[in-house]
Amino acid sequence: SVTPDSLREIETQKPDQRTTYADRFSIKTSHIGLDDVAGQVRVKKELKSIIKVLQNEKGLRHFHISLPRGLLLYGPEGVGKTMLVKAFAKEAGLPYIYLRNVDLFDELLIQEVYARARIAAPVIVVLEGVDTKGVIDGNYTHIPTDVLCEMIDHVPSGPDNYIFTVATAREIEE
């Protein structure tokens, strides 16, 4: 039986007070599993397949395979993307760092989060709403995905020490 206490998230690591963003972006664990998510049968099955890859350290080493760097979950608002990401983290046995929407416009913040992720690896970095648009310096603009892609390209992908990025978006075209 699922209770409100079993669905809450807990902080597993106290933030480092020396950094600008440390108080906002702690490393968390989820208590929401894939069985707690209603529907989304196909997506949950695919997420379980990815988890098997992430957890097959022996096979990855044997075949000299790098882990995938991440995945994109997309769909309209309210379909449970965030809950699926948290359930994915729990099922994979990994903590996560969570960034959302307007936070993704801040390049320094993104660098700080990936620096923290390197220390905590293996870990999941969640980038919610990568298709968010906003007004910066009077211009209507998208999140600088080139910065996100650069960060993701430079993260460790070895079986011992990896950072897996999960991005969410409303529309795949964005």
Side-chain angles (χ1 to χ4, degrees):
S1 153
V2 178
T3 65
D5 286 338
S6 69
L7 294 180
R8 71 176 160 71
E9 299 162 6
I10 60 169
E11 184 176 322
T12 58
Q13 175 181 324
K14 293 293 178 197
D16 179 356
Q17 296 302 320
R18 295 171 291 156
T19 61
T20 307
Y21 301 106
D23 58 333
R24 290 179 57 206
F25 301 103
S26 58
I27 298 171
K28 300 179 180 185
T29 58
S30 176
H31 294 285
I32 300 167
L34 290 171
D35 291 336
D36 298 324
V37 179
Q40 304 290 352
V41 175
R42 182 185 59 82
V43 175
K44 290 191 294 188
K45 183 178 179 183
E46 291 180 25
L47 291 175
K48 286 177 183 178
S49 296
I50 294 168
I51 291 167
K52 285 181 184 176
V53 170
L54 294 176
Q55 294 176 339
N56 188 359
E57 185 177 321
K58 191 175 184 180
L60 293 168
R61 284 184 195 285
H62 179 73
F63 292 107
H64 305 287
I65 298 172
S66 295
L67 286 166
R69 298 196 186 272
L71 66 92
L72 171 67
L73 286 176
Y74 66 94
E77 227 172 288
V79 297
K81 295 181 297 288
T82 303
M83 186 175 261
L84 282 166
V85 170
K86 291 176 182 178
F88 175 81
K90 179 186 181 210
E91 299 290 333
L94 296 171
Y96 66 93
I97 303 173
Y98 181 81
L99 286 172
R100 64 178 188 188
N101 304 328
V102 296
D103 296 329
L104 300 175
F105 285 101
D106 187 340
E107 187 175 338
L108 292 175
L109 171 68
I110 294 167
Q111 290 173 355
E112 174 74 22
V113 165
Y114 275 97
R116 293 184 72 176
R118 286 179 194 280
I119 294 166
V123 67
I124 296 172
V125 173
V126 180
L127 307 173
E128 184 176 305
V130 294
D131 58 345
T132 301
K133 298 174 189 86
V135 177
I136 297 178
D137 296 329
N139 297 317
Y140 191 65
T141 187
H142 295 278
I143 288 172
T145 53
D146 55 330
V147 173
L148 295 176
C149 290
E150 185 178 327
M151 292 290 164
I152 293 168
D153 283 345
H154 291 94
V155 299
S157 62
D160 297 338
N161 192 18
Y162 63 91
I163 299 169
F164 191 80
T165 302
V166 180
T168 69
R170 287 184 296 278
E171 309 230 356
I172 194 168
E173 292 80 24
E174 296 290 329

